[in-house]
Amino acid sequence: MNKETMLTIKSKYFNKLKGGYPLLFKEAIVNLNDLKEEGTLLKLVDEQKRFIGKGYYGKQNKGYGWILTRKEQEKIDYAFFENQIKKAIEHRKSFFNDHETNAFRFFNGEGDGIGGFTIDYFDGYLLLNWYSEGIYQFKQPIVEALQSSIEYKGIYEKKRFDQKGQYIEDDDFLAGERAQFPLIVKENGVHFAVYLNDGAMVGVFLDQRGVRKSIRDHHAEGKTVLNTFSYTGAFSVFAALGGAVKTTSVDLANRSLNKTIEQFSLNGLDYEAHDIRVMDVFNYFKYAVRNNLKFDMVILDPPSFARSKKHRFSVAKDYKDLIKEAIAITENGGMIVASTNFAGFDMKKFKSFVEKAFKEMNGTYKLIEDHSLPADFKTIREFPEGDYLKVLFIKKIKG
Ligand code: SAH
């Protein structure tokens, strides 16, 4: 197994880390220079040599690794990984038995006891996401534990730990049999075409399952829908299946056109009855205002950071203005669905952006629904940052 290093933690962080906070952050570490090779096992003690826990060194965003256990006797070995994976499977029992949905997250990093990697399940195919070089050093015991715990058709992996924390281009196939792509999976009876070996993104973001269902089941009937940052058009497809009279999907990426046509067609929808536009969302807003276009529903799901030719967008700075753009083209009585996966602010702050945006537009609104991560994206109370998804259904009264 991997090497072990003793890591000293500033005593003022003893309670926080002993109390369940799983991420090893830089300010807490006294002997940073002793961290050499990622994947090194760590025994954490504070400045008074009080035992805190055991974990590993792996650089990910702002973190330097994750605490895996607070039991001094527990070993970080094959049995440990197997145990955590078995518990994760147990927690997803209802998903494994669901006939309408066969795509879900079945291991969610620190939420399931091991920070640094996730596993998604796509109709028998498993997709591992490794978020640091450090956790990747445990690939062998983790994959073996996985193979002994679950029946699967094939395993794919994504290494998301180049110098900027980005995806490393590779053949992502790992074990079992290769899938035929597109792999067609189901979510609440709706089909998605998924590609597990074609870059960082596979075609669907599983964490939005509850939002898609709510749009289809409660909010789409008879409505015109604008879906911005639409990617493969997942929200549009659910809205159309829920009876939307027309959807308009807008995304800058060339791939989005074919991918959106594919998702519509897969579900027996006539894509020609809908609008799919490859263009900058910010230009589309201008176009809509110029042409007096208004929608019954406007969906906002931007990436946390985006750069186009003319625009630099960051949700932390610019979300309020994005909502204002949406207010301007939403009918009175219509709905804005505002979403973000940015972990840097919480729901309270997100709601304050909505408040400010309507205020600046002299408008009024009512919050109708809010969503956070679904149950398969298991999170822990001690790590609220892990519960990153925030979605608000905002009814525009006027503005
Ligand atoms: N809402 C999607 C996921 C969005 S992912 C879903 O539910 O599946 C973010 C998308 O935003 C990407 O497809 C990216 O191409 C697109 N994007 C980023 N900046 C953009 C911009 N300025 N205009 C339009 N699309 C943009």
Side-chain angles (χ1 to χ4, degrees):
M1 218 23 172
N2 304 37
K3 287 189 200 154
E4 190 175 294
T5 292
M6 184 87 90
L7 199 69
T8 307
I9 298 296
K10 292 180 190 156
S11 290
K12 69 170 171 180
Y13 294 116
F14 178 86
N15 285 339
K16 182 174 176 123
L17 293 177
K18 186 87 187 177
Y21 191 80
L23 183 67
L24 272 172
F25 48 99
K26 191 175 179 183
E27 309 86 82
I29 303 169
V30 175
N31 55 334
L32 209 54
N33 290 337
D34 289 345
L35 290 176
K36 299 257 160 28
E37 277 165 58
E38 288 202 37
T40 304
L41 285 167
L42 304 174
K43 185 173 174 184
L44 278 64
V45 296
D46 77 349
E47 290 157 306
Q48 290 136 50
K49 297 275 177 289
R50 289 182 295 177
F51 175 78
I52 295 174
K54 294 181 185 178
Y56 72 90
Y57 170 38
K59 276 188 161 174
Q60 180 188 340
N61 303 331
K62 288 179 198 144
Y64 275 67
W66 296 91
I67 298 176
L68 303 182
T69 178
R70 290 169 185 78
K71 294 182 199 143
E72 199 157 2
Q73 304 314 323
E74 190 161 39
K75 286 206 179 73
I76 309 300
D77 55 8
Y78 176 82
F80 174 84
F81 291 119
E82 189 177 44
N83 189 26
Q84 299 304 114
I85 286 171
K86 291 218 155 108
K87 276 199 275 188
I89 293 171
E90 185 64 28
H91 182 78
R92 274 67 172 192
K93 242 187 181 155
S94 65
F95 285 89
F96 283 105
N97 294 328
D98 189 331
H99 296 295
E100 294 290 291
T101 300
N102 59 20
F104 55 89
R105 172 143 302 181
F106 106 72
F107 195 94
N108 196 38
E110 76 287 345
D112 282 295
I114 310 174
F117 82 105
T118 62
I119 310 171
D120 292 331
Y121 182 94
F122 294 99
D123 190 21
Y125 289 91
L126 308 177
L127 176 64
L128 286 143
N129 279 295
W130 308 103
Y131 286 94
S132 75
E133 186 89 52
I135 192 66
Y136 195 65
Q137 301 306 314
F138 298 94
K139 173 172 163 175
Q140 197 191 340
I142 289 173
V143 171
E144 276 173 24
L146 193 55
Q147 288 172 314
S148 81
S149 308
I150 184 173
E151 274 181 45
Y152 64 92
K153 297 173 189 162
I155 306 180
Y156 288 79
E157 67 174 345
K158 305 235 176 260
K159 293 177 247 170
R160 296 176 180 274
F161 52 79
D162 83 346
Q163 306 221 321
K164 285 191 186 142
Q166 301 285 313
Y167 166 76
I168 300 171
E169 195 68 52
D170 209 345
D171 176 8
D172 292 337
F173 177 71
L174 197 67
E177 60 182 67
R178 283 180 186 264
Q180 294 271 7
F181 297 116
L183 179 63
I184 309 300
V185 300
K186 250 190 329 192
E187 177 185 288
N188 290 312
V190 179
H191 292 104
F192 281 124
V194 162
Y195 297 80
L196 301 182
N197 204 356
D198 205 4
M201 304 204 285
V202 303
V204 58
F205 290 97
L206 298 174
D207 53 2
Q208 298 277 14
R209 183 186 311 112
V211 180
R212 287 189 282 265
K213 185 171 191 307
S214 182
I215 288 174
R216 180 191 65 185
D217 295 354
H218 306 298
H219 302 288
E221 178 93 62
K223 302 288 163 61
T224 55
V225 177
L226 173 64
N227 180 12
T228 65
F229 307 95
S230 56
Y231 183 40
T232 59
F235 287 127
S236 309
V237 166
F238 269 74
L241 291 169
V245 286
K246 189 181 161 191
T247 69
T248 302
S249 306
V250 184
D251 196 294
L252 192 60
N254 285 322
R255 63 170 182 235
S256 64
L257 176 62
N258 285 336
K259 297 256 177 199
T260 304
I261 291 175
E262 182 178 36
Q263 306 293 13
F264 269 96
S265 305
L266 204 54
N267 289 288
L269 295 163
D270 175 12
Y271 68 88
E272 288 181 327
H274 297 264
D275 218 357
I276 305 168
R277 304 227 171 182
V278 177
M279 75 186 277
D280 192 316
V281 162
F282 298 98
N283 291 338
Y284 187 83
F285 285 134
K286 289 194 195 107
Y287 162 86
V289 168
R290 259 199 326 268
N291 291 279
N292 275 322
L293 299 184
K294 293 243 174 174
F295 298 88
D296 300 317
M297 176 182 276
V298 176
I299 300 168
L300 306 171
D301 184 26
S304 295
F305 303 95
R307 267 177 93 163
S308 60
K309 276 184 205 127
K310 285 191 209 138
H311 251 93
R312 193 188 273 261
F313 176 86
S314 103
V315 293
K317 281 206 334 278
D318 305 317
Y319 212 113
K320 181 203 70 185
D321 290 336
L322 184 64
I323 298 171
K324 284 169 75 176
E325 305 251 33
I327 293 171
I329 58 168
T330 302
E331 299 277 10
N332 287 343
M335 190 80 82
I336 297 170
V337 177
S339 167
T340 180
N341 60 9
F342 184 57
F345 55 73
D346 61 6
M347 187 58 117
K348 198 168 155 219
K349 180 108 187 172
F350 193 41
K351 286 182 178 168
S352 81
F353 294 157
V354 176
E355 177 75 36
K356 276 204 192 102
F358 273 91
K359 206 166 188 179
E360 289 176 19
M361 299 285 282
N362 286 318
T364 49
Y365 67 99
K366 192 170 173 219
L367 293 180
I368 303 291
E369 263 178 48
D370 57 65
H371 292 252
S372 55
L373 286 174
D376 49 328
F377 284 69
K378 190 169 185 290
T379 54
I380 48 171
R381 207 181 42 243
E382 294 84 357
F383 192 63
E385 305 93 302
D387 197 359
Y388 58 84
L389 186 70
K390 296 165 277 290
V391 184
L392 291 171
F393 284 57
I394 309 153
K395 185 172 186 156
K396 172 180 163 183
I397 298 170
K398 67 178 185 59

